[in-house]
Amino acid sequence: MFSTHDGAKKCAKYLRRLFANSGFVFPLHKCQSAVARAGGFRDWHDLEVALARSARSAEPAAFRKRLLAVLPEPCRPPVLAWLDKEPAETIYDAERPARWYRDVLPYLMAATALHHSRTPLLRSGSGAGQRLRERLVLGPLLNLHGGTRLVPWFEPDTLAFVFWGAAESLFGQDAQHPRFRTELETLTAAGVLDVANRQLRVFSPDAKEMTAFVAEGKVGKAEYWAEAGGAEAPRALHDALAAIGVRNAQRVADDISRVGAAAYTSTSGPVLELLTTLAEDGEIETLAKAYGLFASIQPKSAAFIRGAVPARISSGYLVGHRGLGASKISLWAYDHPDWHDKLKAAIARPVLFASTVDAMADSISRAQVSL
């Protein structure tokens, strides 16, 4: 990662280039802030002061975990690809950043669908000018005005899409509509879009709904290609894994997609290996999300995988990650015979599962101290 001020500057600049390669608007000062916090500093100024006195390196696993935590969620896939040293994305279209289709298009489609169905000012019955308002928002997103396709960039922290150009190029003939200024002001006042300095920003309808929409879309695509098979299956699974924060997503996707791989006795082998790794790394919520993904892709194996989760938590997380003694865990389990049933019941709800596991670990830890 880095251990000096110069190294930190290079890391921040690389992060900015990485995000530009996705089509993200994420300026250098935000990259510097993320790098500083990932390195264990309060902010960039704290980093500069501390590293001016002496070099200090961050433990790679801690840096990775903190970086993913402080960056907006859309940044996760390209950052994971970088950290996992995945091959550079092939450029489909010279007019678009290399990872645009992978990292921006899913959000673009989500914003379009949610604006169309959820934004009050765009829905039928919202009053005079409804169709014009709808075209002013969806037109740039879907290129409804024709002509040269304007490719929006994406702000991963605000979930806004950014276009550059004059009103005529952004809105086409709608810019000549007699109600254009009125409806533009209405949409601006409502926080749907903003136009200033030859720049249009189309905001997301709802951040949580949009993020959930994108995640569900990636899972749905993985489900489809898992059933259909073919060359797209590993890529679709990779994108779904990266979206939930699984490291080495490409290798895991390749392993799982190779049905009958010699390294595994069943198609569930790679899944169980991944769950073990996540437990050992303390990534409990990600483990639950991974289970949910595989349960939807391999429904016939869901019960088998769910049944294997308690053993992964016991040996991988409680012993391996938390350092709790196996004998003490056994004594605690004797007094709590339903612990494995509670874990299996909670696994479908990642946040609940993580809190259940933590409560279990804390209970065992307290029991150790009292013995």
Side-chain angles (χ1 to χ4, degrees):
M1 302 295 99
F2 63 86
S3 59
T4 65
H5 184 213
D6 284 343
K9 288 194 293 185
K10 290 179 181 179
C11 187
K13 289 179 180 178
Y14 183 85
L15 206 59
R16 181 180 61 175
R17 291 196 300 272
L18 182 75
F19 293 144
N21 195 48
S22 290
F24 291 167
V25 179
F26 206 71
L28 181 60
H29 71 88
K30 292 184 179 181
C31 293
Q32 290 174 330
S33 176
V35 165
R37 293 173 64 189
F41 302 95
R42 290 192 305 274
D43 51 35
W44 187 254
H45 176 70
D46 183 36
L47 178 149
E48 289 180 311
V49 172
L51 295 186
R53 292 194 294 263
S54 63
R56 191 173 97 190
S57 60
E59 197 275 319
F63 178 89
R64 177 193 186 101
K65 187 173 183 177
R66 288 193 292 254
L67 182 61
L68 291 172
V70 301
L71 286 170
E73 189 161 341
C75 294
R76 180 176 287 173
V79 166
L80 280 171
W82 164 50
L83 293 173
D84 292 338
K85 298 180 173 59
E86 292 183 8
E89 192 79 5
T90 301
I91 298 177
Y92 296 145
D93 186 335
E95 296 181 358
R96 293 168 174 79
R99 286 187 59 104
W100 188 89
Y101 283 100
R102 203 159 193 167
D103 296 333
V104 176
L105 183 60
Y107 286 91
L108 180 70
M109 301 311 295
T112 301
L114 291 174
H115 268 311
H116 181 72
S117 62
R118 304 291 178 86
T119 303
L121 285 171
L122 308 188
R123 299 178 68 177
S124 298
S126 59
Q130 177 266 327
R131 290 189 177 181
L132 176 59
R133 291 192 297 272
E134 186 176 40
R135 290 198 305 272
L136 294 182
V137 176
L138 302 186
L141 294 176
L142 297 177
N143 195 33
L144 297 180
H145 302 118
T148 303
R149 178 72 167 100
L150 297 175
V151 178
W153 281 52
F154 184 56
E155 295 178 349
D157 47 353
T158 67
L159 303 186
F161 297 90
V162 184
F163 299 83
W164 288 273
E168 292 74 16
S169 65
L170 297 173
F171 299 109
Q173 294 183 348
D174 286 333
Q176 308 304 319
H177 195 286
R179 292 183 62 90
F180 173 71
R181 291 295 171 189
T182 298
E183 300 306 338
L184 190 64
E185 291 174 1
T186 298
L187 291 168
T188 300
V192 177
L193 54 75
D194 178 67
V195 179
N197 301 321
R198 294 174 60 86
Q199 181 187 88
L200 164 66
R201 297 171 74 217
V202 179
F203 298 102
S204 66
D206 180 274
K208 289 184 178 180
E209 285 190 346
M210 188 161 155
T211 300
F213 191 102
V214 170
E216 290 170 5
K218 291 183 177 180
V219 171
K221 189 176 180 181
E223 290 176 357
Y224 172 81
W225 285 109
E227 183 175 349
E232 284 294 319
R235 180 187 174 107
L237 180 56
H238 167 279
D239 289 347
L241 289 167
I244 62 178
V246 172
R247 68 173 62 190
N248 297 315
Q250 182 168 308
R251 178 184 62 78
V252 174
D254 287 343
D255 286 343
I256 293 169
S257 299
R258 282 198 296 269
V259 177
Y264 302 97
T265 56
S266 73
T267 57
S268 299
V271 177
L272 298 180
E273 183 177 288
L274 172 61
L275 298 185
T276 298
T277 300
L278 290 171
E280 292 172 348
D281 290 343
E283 301 290 341
I284 300 304
E285 191 170 332
T286 302
L287 184 154
K289 291 178 180 178
Y291 163 77
L293 171 62
F294 296 125
S296 64
I297 293 175
Q298 300 180 3
K300 293 181 179 179
S301 301
F304 172 75
I305 296 172
R306 183 172 63 251
V309 166
R312 269 69 191 169
I313 294 299
S314 178
S315 61
Y317 181 72
L318 297 177
V319 176
H321 186 76
R322 291 288 294 262
L324 299 171
S327 61
K328 303 298 183 182
I329 294 173
S330 297
L331 289 174
W332 178 89
Y334 181 81
D335 292 331
H336 300 79
D338 61 342
W339 68 275
H340 51 283
D341 291 328
K342 288 183 176 179
L343 288 181
K344 289 188 287 186
I347 188 68
R349 299 169 62 186
V351 175
L352 173 63
F353 182 73
S355 64
T356 300
V357 172
D358 282 339
M360 180 185 301
D362 292 341
S363 177
I364 296 171
S365 180
R366 287 194 300 271
Q368 284 186 283
V369 171
S370 64
L371 290 174

